Structure formats: C-alpha cells, structure tokens
Amino acid sequence: MKMQPSRDIARLIEIMAALRDPDTGCPWDLEQDFSTIRHYTIEEAYEVADAIERQDFADLRDELGDLLLQPIYHAQMAREAGHFDIGDVIYAITDKLIRRHPHVFGDVEAGTSAASEGRWEAIKAQERAAKAARKGEAAPSVLDDVPSVLPALARAGKLTKRAAKVGFDWPDFASVKAKVDEELDEVVQAQASGDAAAVHEEIGDLLFAVANLARHAGIDAEAALRDANYKFTRRFHHVESRCREDGIEPKDAGLERLDFYWNEVRAADKI
C-alpha cells in the first residue's frame, strides 16, 4: 500500500489502521495489545519531558509525534475490539475541557488563575462522585484517581496535595521540615536496630515526607530529583574524564582522588 506523509491527523489514523490490517499489516504491530504497548506510552511521555528540559525543539517535535502515536495505537486496538474509536477519545476530551472551563465556554466570570484552578478541582470532584454513582460504588475518596503507575515520588506529591485539599496537611514549611527531621531520626534508629524491614519502612516514610516538603516549597519533587540525577551524571563524567587524563582507572583511583576531581567540577559549577 502506497502512503505519503501528511500534516493531517487522519493520515496517521489511516497508517495505524494499515499497520494493524490482519491481512497486509506489520507482523510486529499485529502481535501487540494494550499491555505490551503500555510501557512504550510511558517511555514516550518521559522522552517528551527530556526534550523539553534540554530545550531541544527539533527533538521535541519528533518526540511529540511518537507520543501522539500512542493514543492512536490504543484507539485502533480498542476499535478492533469494539470498545471505542479515536473519535470517541477526541469527543471525551473536548467535552471534558468545555465542561471544566465554564469561565471560557460558559457564562461564569473568569476571575483569577487560583479561582480557575478551584473551579477545575470542584468539577473534578463532582465528576468522581458521578462516576462512583454510575458504578454503584461508595462515595469516592479524594485519592481515588491518583494513578498508581506514577513514579513513586511524583505520586507521593499528588497524594499529599489531594489530602491537603480537605485540610489534612501541615500548616507550614517549618512543620514539614520538622517531620523530615523526625523521619530521618527514625531511619537512624531502625538502622541501628539491624531490622532491615524497619529500615525499608522508615526510608519510605522519609522519602514521602521529603516529597511533602517539596510541595510546600512549591517544587516538583520528581523534576528536582531528575535534575539532581542529571547533575550527578554530568559531574561523574568529569571524574571519569579526569581519571583518563591521569591514566588511572576510577576503581583504582581511591576516594581521596575521586573526591578531588568531584570538587573540581563542583567549584566550576559555582563560578
């Protein structure tokens, strides 16, 4: 089948359908299902985030294309199974955006950004309650739709933010810092006891408290940790490079020399 690239999303839908054609499609694409494609969807979202952080807009264009393919792929499989199609997906999100922005598409006064966010959250709460009622379930928890597949640090931040909306929160940054200090003390005590299960639990509590501290500081904990990972990687590459310059393997350099190289790049970062 002859296909040409296009700026029209309809062509992308056609290509995906062709790839999944049972007679003439791609064998690999035909083998996939929702479960096997799921991790690609997550990976593509991270690659978009990486391109944004690097401010590489050529990469961002390509990565957004890869990410766009994912809902098209899932919708094609759903259409084949008789669940829904891409039109239903687009209808659902346009309906949601219109419903959640009455200050843009309705007769509600716009007000401030904070007021808009408050309306958004109130409408979401109404939607959660309506969804639970349709399913005959008990009243929903404010935590119900925080995805369990989120990275643990990001999920911790969302859980504490949701709990804070009903008043379950520390009053200020200093109070959360005190909680972090308390959790760190409990990690030290657990480590001294030699109880590995207790150490595991207390470190989890400490990380959760740090995620809460980041939220109170107005910081995205997941993004902050990604940046710290990037900084560590860049600095360690400098350490490895200096070892090569001095003709020594990092494993043979010794901590004092490695720390010297590390402090070189730390000092350069502060200039």
Side-chain angles (χ1 to χ4, degrees), residues 46 146-147 149-161 208 211 220-223 225-226:
Y46 277 117
V146 178
V149 297
L150 282 175
L153 197 62
R155 187 163 192 260
K158 281 187 173 292
L159 290 171
T160 62
K161 182 179 180 181
F208 192 89
D220 181 332
E222 188 72 25
L225 183 57
R226 280 199 306 272

Side-chain angles (χ1 to χ4, degrees), residues 48-56 222-223 226-227 230:
V48 166
D50 179 64
I52 292 170
E53 289 177 4
R54 291 184 288 107
Q55 294 289 287
D56 188 329
E222 188 72 25
R226 280 199 306 272
D227 289 344
Y230 171 77

